[in-house]
Amino acid sequence: MSFEHWLAFAAASAVILAIPGPTILLVISYALSHGRKSAGATVAGVALGDFTAMTASMLGLGALLAASAALFTVLKWVGGAYLIYLGIKLWRAPTGAQAEAQTSEVRPVRIFLHAYAVTALNPKSIVFFVAFLPQFLVSSQPLLPQMILFEVTFLVLATINAASYALIAAGARRTIRKPSVQRIVNRTGGGLLVGAGLLAAGWRSSTS
């Protein structure tokens, strides 16, 4: 595989990752509500979630999801319902001193698991990898080394992308001290997560 070939994959991946989706919305929401202390947990959850989705695609789950409308529907409804749950929770999150007290009680493990679930339970991502990766594979060369290289590249870029969003949002949090502003931020983020959940639940595979 040539360097130009790998660079094309990296560039396409970077563009795709830069577009905020449900996972990035969750990262931003946690960073705004919990600050930098949540960044490590959310980024780790996103990275492991992307690894799970890509590995599942390589093992054939993506093709199975694309072929099975029933399985795809079950997974998309589970993922969509979870996003809606998180959105409602963020919408109702406390502000001011009460929010600061609650922030100190949230464990990183819980944040990590939320980020992982949102990323890994998205059937659209799994099917996407099945359609995206083959475009860059060179059939005349061994496939496994190429798939490993592409997966590592995508995971590194996804980690950098999530970390960037988390740090920027955490920095913005310092300027958001008034309870009224915090309430607007929470409800905006919660509304976006609920919307993302509804879109995820309503999204159809190309075969359904």
Side-chain angles (χ1 to χ4, degrees), residues 12-191:
S13 299
V15 171
I16 292 169
L17 288 167
I19 302 173
T23 298
I24 294 302
L25 290 177
L26 183 67
V27 169
I28 293 174
S29 298
Y30 267 124
L32 288 174
S33 58
H34 301 291
R36 290 193 175 186
K37 65 174 62 179
S38 70
T42 51
V43 171
V46 169
L48 185 59
D50 279 329
F51 172 78
T52 301
M54 291 191 74
T55 301
S57 297
M58 294 179 183
L59 294 176
L61 179 57
L64 178 61
L65 284 174
S68 174
L71 180 58
F72 186 91
T73 299
V74 170
L75 283 181
K76 76 173 183 178
W77 274 102
V78 170
Y82 189 65
L83 283 174
I84 293 172
Y85 160 75
L86 292 177
I88 294 175
K89 189 174 181 180
L90 179 59
W91 180 284
R92 301 173 61 185
T95 58
Q98 189 178 359
E100 294 295 331
Q102 189 182 75
T103 295
S104 61
E105 297 175 358
V106 177
R107 295 183 299 173
V109 173
R110 186 175 180 180
I111 296 175
F112 166 82
L113 291 176
H114 280 181
Y116 172 76
V118 169
T119 308
L121 290 179
N122 187 356
K124 183 177 178 181
S125 295
I126 299 176
V127 174
F128 164 76
F129 287 130
V130 170
F132 180 64
L133 285 177
Q135 300 180 44
F136 298 91
L137 294 174
V138 180
S139 59
S140 61
Q141 298 181 12
L143 295 181
L144 183 59
Q146 295 182 69
M147 295 172 71
I148 293 175
L149 176 61
F150 286 154
E151 182 166 359
V152 171
T153 299
F154 190 92
L155 290 176
V156 170
L157 292 174
T159 300
I160 294 174
N161 182 68
S164 299
Y165 273 107
L167 293 177
I168 292 173
R173 178 178 181 269
R174 298 177 181 177
T175 64
I176 304 173
R177 293 300 182 184
K178 294 182 179 181
S180 58
V181 178
Q182 291 180 357
R183 191 175 299 110
I184 293 174
V185 171
N186 288 348
R187 291 184 175 180
T188 299

